Amino acid sequence: MDRADVVARYDEELDTEAYADVDASANGLQVGSEEGEVEHVAFAVDAAEATIEAAADAGADLLVTHHGLVWGGLDRVTGRAYDRIAPLVENDIGLYVSHLPLDGHQSRGNAAGVADRLELESREPFGELGPVHIGQRGRASRTYTVGELREALDELDNGGESTRVLDFGPDEISEVAVVTGSGVDWLSEAEAVGADALVTGEGKQQAYHEAREAGLNVFLAGHYATETFGVRSLAALAQEWGLDVTYLDFPTGL
């Protein structure tokens, strides 16, 4: 398949353009030419030396990641930036990135994947960011206790680290809001929509007091662990297109 065709299909599926004004990430094709053929695609959460080298070892023509290399501009290609970009160029591997579009996609995105795992129903977009959303909320098909929801999230691959909980909300949890990665900035929105719990990846100092004052449970299941779903979904889509795929798993425990 033409690389340009793969890029265009992903851009259309993820509505990449809708996030252009709100995302610091340069989404879409970050490294490489749109010319050329793609037969083998590698997928990873992070574009790092380890995943790029693994993609080269796998013989991939394209690497698709959630976290890319360009955030608000790239001034110099030296040091660590060079060490990451050079093997992509040397091995003619394109880098396609989808950050917030892949968080917010309501069926293929990271939050949707977490919601699937927790069996949430009656879902709606959540995590408002300007004109778009980067999360999802819904009602659990069965009521969770705090401990049960923690156990369900501990099944995610977080490098052996367990889920941290700010258990300031109700003992029984039905309404759950999800913003993957670093999502505690949407704690007030979770309170406003009547959620019993906010599920995200990592926290910030002020979230402790905000959760306590809001009477809300906050589950910190790991930035990496909550953001594997989107790239896995894009890998499945590539398989439907007849491409060979490799998933590269490098959990950080964070």
Side-chain angles (χ1 to χ4, degrees):
M1 182 181 296
D2 289 341
R3 184 181 288 175
D5 190 17
V6 176
V7 168
R9 289 189 185 195
Y10 275 141
D11 281 345
E12 181 178 4
E13 174 66 26
L14 296 164
D15 197 12
T16 299
E17 185 60 31
Y19 293 79
D21 294 334
V22 297
D23 199 346
S25 172
N27 296 310
L29 187 66
Q30 278 195 1
V31 178
S33 168
E34 289 194 357
E35 297 180 358
E37 291 292 313
V38 172
E39 297 180 356
H40 188 165
V41 188
F43 296 84
V45 174
D46 302 306
E49 284 187 52
T51 55
I52 292 168
E53 290 172 359
D57 290 342
D61 308 300
L62 182 69
L63 173 62
V64 175
T65 69
H66 179 51
H67 300 128
L69 301 178
V70 182
W71 301 87
L74 186 64
D75 294 328
R76 299 174 188 271
V77 184
T78 60
R80 187 171 292 111
Y82 177 81
D83 291 340
R84 292 175 173 178
I85 293 173
L88 291 169
V89 176
E90 290 167 0
N91 292 282
D92 194 22
I93 302 172
L95 174 65
Y96 182 92
V97 175
S98 185
H99 183 232
L100 294 185
L102 194 54
D103 285 323
H105 195 283
Q106 294 297 297
S107 60
R108 296 190 180 276
N110 290 315
V114 174
D116 287 343
R117 183 67 64 90
L118 298 180
E119 298 181 345
L120 302 186
E121 301 174 341
S122 303
R123 300 187 206 176
E124 297 179 8
F126 175 80
E128 185 175 346
L129 186 62
V132 296
H133 291 83
I134 59 170
Q136 198 169 85
R137 67 183 179 97
R139 175 178 288 272
S141 59
R142 64 176 182 85
T143 301
Y144 286 102
T145 65
V146 171
E148 288 170 342
L149 186 51
R150 171 189 262 163
E151 289 177 2
L153 292 168
D154 277 346
E155 293 178 3
L156 305 183
D157 182 8
N158 195 31
E161 298 295 322
S162 60
T163 300
R164 299 185 64 187
V165 184
L166 305 178
D167 54 345
F168 297 122
D171 294 331
E172 295 188 343
I173 298 171
S174 296
E175 299 292 334
V176 180
V178 182
V179 175
T180 60
S182 181
V184 292
D185 288 342
W186 285 269
L187 195 151
S188 293
E189 184 180 341
E191 178 188 11
V193 300
D196 302 314
L198 171 65
V199 173
T200 187
E202 61 180 271
K204 298 177 181 178
Q205 168 70 14
Q206 66 267 28
Y208 177 93
H209 296 289
E210 292 176 0
R212 184 176 183 180
E213 292 161 4
L216 184 70
N217 295 303
V218 178
F219 292 78
L220 308 175
H223 197 130
Y224 181 92
T226 59
E227 296 197 328
T228 63
F229 295 95
V231 286
R232 289 184 184 275
S233 179
L234 296 186
L237 189 57
Q239 285 182 309
E240 293 177 14
W241 297 339
L243 300 173
D244 294 329
V245 306
T246 298
Y247 180 72
L248 306 172
D249 191 23
F250 284 81
T252 64
L254 301 173

